[in-house]
Amino acid sequence: SIKNIKPVDVVRRITFGQAAALVFRSRAIMAFTAANAIASTMRHLASVKPTFRMIFAAAPSQSEVLDALTAIPNLPWNQVIAFHMDDYLELPAEAPQRFANWLESHLFSKVPLAKVNRIPTLGSPDEICQTYADKLAEAPIDIICLGIGVNGHIAFNDPPTAIFKDSLSVKVVELDDVCRQQQVDDGCFLSINAVPVRAVTLTIPRLLDASTLLCAVPGVHKRAAVQATV
């Protein structure tokens, strides 16, 4: 898919460690490229496995990528077992801000997935985390489609609480104010006081333990976070 991108569309190419990054001239070109890279990986997996497992980020920053991905015809969605990487605690199950509900409208309802595993809304926080960790542990994760937050978070691993050698796969975290304000700036909540303080998130080791990670980060407001990541 990257071969289809014209050199004029790419502002910079960066390689760091085992990762490679492309900087594009527009969000639309970024979304097109990311979606086609995901699609290519999906087709390969479908040719060698009866089912494969994908984890999706849920945020307005990912909407263009998901729109482009779901518009690609004949993808093997019926072989995909889907997960998402985080969600709020202390919101009603039907709240539109819940990430499972956001993904329902932007992805899950648009394609014929083999199975969708949503983070539970019922039970104690510890039970919710353990239930989801057990489902994730049933088989390796093949693809993760993720982004990066304004403060550098992946999923809800904010810098103040991020643990790179976390012993847990899924845990409860308290969100920092920068992360909570981002939810307001993204138009998900009217004020920071309406944003929940606690959430469930996949941990950094759980997110890194996948065959392929494809990360899309649109917007100049995330420039510092991307630069720090690189």
Side-chain angles (χ1 to χ4, degrees), residues 84-170:
H84 58 115
M85 56 181 60
D86 48 4
D87 215 334
Y88 297 107
L89 288 173
E90 297 152 1
L91 274 183
E94 68 278 6
Q97 295 94 339
R98 276 196 172 272
F99 291 161
N101 296 339
W102 189 92
L103 281 169
E104 178 66 28
S105 61
H106 287 81
L107 176 65
F108 297 159
S109 64
K110 291 185 174 183
V111 292
L113 293 158
K115 185 177 182 181
V116 176
N117 293 289
R118 295 170 177 83
I119 293 174
T121 58
L122 299 177
S124 71
D126 287 344
E127 290 171 340
I128 290 171
C129 292
Q130 190 59 57
T131 297
Y132 212 60
D134 291 344
K135 288 184 179 180
L136 288 162
E138 289 175 358
I141 299 299
D142 297 292
I143 304 175
I144 298 183
C145 303
L146 70 158
I148 297 175
V150 171
N151 65 356
H153 69 246
I154 56 174
F156 266 145
N157 295 283
D158 288 330
T161 57
I163 301 174
F164 284 82
K165 294 184 178 180
D166 208 312
S167 61
L168 299 173
S169 293
V170 185

Side-chain angles (χ1 to χ4, degrees), residues 43-54:
R43 291 190 186 102
H44 168 71
L45 287 166
S47 70
V48 297
K49 303 178 72 171
T51 61
F52 54 97
R53 292 150 66 87
M54 298 180 67

Side-chain angles (χ1 to χ4, degrees), residues 31-32 34-40 43 65-75 77 111:
F32 172 84
N36 279 275
I38 296 165
S40 177
R43 291 190 186 102
V65 174
L66 292 179
D67 286 347
L69 183 62
T70 55
I72 296 174
N74 302 319
L75 286 184
W77 290 109
V111 292

